[in-house]
Amino acid sequence: MTTTTEAAPAEEAPAARSAAGAERSLGARIAARAGGGAMRVFLVLAGLFWLMPTIGLLLSSLRGPEDIAASGWWKVFTAPSELTFDNYQRLLDNSAITGSLFSTVLITVPSTLLVVVIGSFAGYAFAWMDFPGRDWWFLAVVGLLVVPVQVALIPVSELFGAIGIFETTFGVIMFHTAFGLPFAIFLLRNFFAEIPRELLEAARLDGAGEIRLFTRVVMPLGGPAIASLGIFQFLWVWNDMLVALIFAGADSPPITVALQQQVRQFGNNIDVLAPGAFVSMVIPLAVFFAFQRQFVSGVMAGAVK
């Protein structure tokens, strides 16, 4: 009698496990079907929907002002003869837009390089060098991440006016560099700290100093994170309008400010605004796709480690 009573739960366990296995297999089948063709179709449609404004801007930039005023950009699918490159010729003849593109490059490239270089040195120092108050200084850097740009506009404007760099390209570069460094130091410090200590100690035993260790060991290993930082900084500075509108000079505005001025002065100047907006958008997109592999590696590095 005792044997029968003890065997009953043992007989129920395989049945419960088989039922749970059937439920799991049903859920697995549903997940597999959701991750199959239907999900791919949904993702493709979502991607096309996300790209629709970009496609519309591109097609609008290839239509004449009369056609733009008469109908929407989708008309080109039934009347492809409307497509023309005359708008881009007008864009090249517009000295305000072409000069603003040069000013944007002159602002964006130094702002990105300074943040990457200074952030790399500081990130390495916070990760692997001992100096008084290192942790407190790093906490101060982290605290600067929460300071909004709008809070600093008035005091920084007064400071730049006092030292004579207000409404200059150099002032815009300094502002973007200062506000890009906290995130750069935080990102690179955390990435450099994941480098195995044994690797650095082996390099020191071989006679490598701090500079040689940084350039020959840390920088190559930190390439993905540095590329990710460079892309973030480049996109932020290129697309910025608030800082440029306040600190840039009237004779050398970046492309975002120049396009805004074109809208304000010539409201019907769509034949120049459309190609100018598309060019200002396609350049950062090209930079992103050029460094896409490094960007993904830098984003995924923390998860893999």
Side-chain angles (χ1 to χ4, degrees):
M1 190 66 181
T2 303
T3 305
T4 305
T5 304
E6 294 177 352
E11 293 176 356
E12 293 176 357
R17 285 196 298 268
S18 61
E23 293 178 358
R24 286 196 299 269
S25 61
L26 177 61
R29 288 197 300 270
I30 295 175
R33 291 180 180 178
M39 181 59 67
R40 292 173 184 171
V41 171
F42 172 77
L43 292 176
V44 169
L45 293 177
L48 291 176
F49 182 78
W50 180 77
L51 289 173
M52 190 175 296
T54 305
I55 297 172
L57 182 61
L58 171 61
L59 296 179
S60 296
S61 68
L62 295 174
R63 303 177 72 207
E66 297 82 5
D67 298 327
I68 295 175
S71 60
W73 57 266
W74 51 87
K75 182 69 179 301
V76 299
F77 294 108
T78 58
S81 60
E82 295 181 356
L83 297 177
T84 178
F85 287 97
D86 293 342
N87 291 344
Y88 286 91
Q89 183 60 45
R90 296 189 187 96
L91 178 68
L92 295 177
D93 295 337
N94 191 310
S95 59
I97 298 296
T98 54
S100 66
L101 283 173
F102 177 75
S103 298
T104 306
V105 174
L106 195 61
I107 292 173
T108 305
V109 173
S111 299
T112 303
L113 292 179
L114 285 173
V115 167
V116 169
V117 173
I118 299 175
S120 299
F121 279 110
Y124 173 76
F126 279 116
W128 294 109
M129 296 180 67
D130 293 327
F131 55 89
R134 183 185 67 173
D135 295 336
W136 288 106
W137 281 109
F138 184 69
L139 288 177
V141 171
V142 174
L144 291 175
L145 289 173
V146 302
V147 178
V149 175
Q150 294 80 359
V151 173
L153 292 178
I154 295 178
V156 173
S157 298
E158 295 177 352
L159 174 63
F160 283 4
I163 62 179
I165 61 173
F166 186 70
E167 292 189 344
T168 63
T169 300
F170 180 74
V172 181
I173 294 173
M174 290 297 98
F175 191 95
H176 284 303
T177 302
F179 272 84
L181 279 176
F183 175 74
I185 296 172
F186 175 76
L187 175 68
L188 295 181
R189 182 266 178 191
N190 292 337
F191 189 90
F192 292 160
E194 296 291 336
I195 298 176
R197 181 180 296 272
E198 293 79 8
L199 183 62
L200 301 180
E201 291 178 352
R204 288 193 177 95
L205 290 175
D206 291 337
E210 295 297 337
I211 299 297
R212 188 179 182 88
L213 187 65
F214 175 76
T215 56
R216 296 296 182 89
V217 179
V218 176
M219 288 293 286
L221 293 176
I226 294 173
S228 301
L229 172 64
I231 291 174
F232 276 124
Q233 180 70 9
F234 184 92
L235 296 179
W236 177 50
V237 177
W238 183 278
N239 295 319
D240 169 74
M241 183 176 178
L242 177 62
V243 176
L245 191 62
I246 297 175
F247 292 96
D251 55 340
S252 58
I255 185 64
T256 52
V257 177
L259 290 175
Q260 185 268 342
Q261 292 174 349
Q262 292 284 323
V263 174
R264 183 178 58 193
Q265 297 175 2
F266 312 103
N268 57 352
N269 201 14
I270 190 65
D271 55 330
V272 174
L273 292 176
F278 183 76
V279 170
S280 68
M281 180 180 60
V282 76
I283 292 178
L285 282 177
V287 172
F288 174 79
F289 286 115
F291 296 95
Q292 182 182 13
R293 180 172 300 179
Q294 290 84 354
F295 177 77
V296 175
S297 300
V299 172
M300 295 298 294
V304 173
K305 292 180 181 180

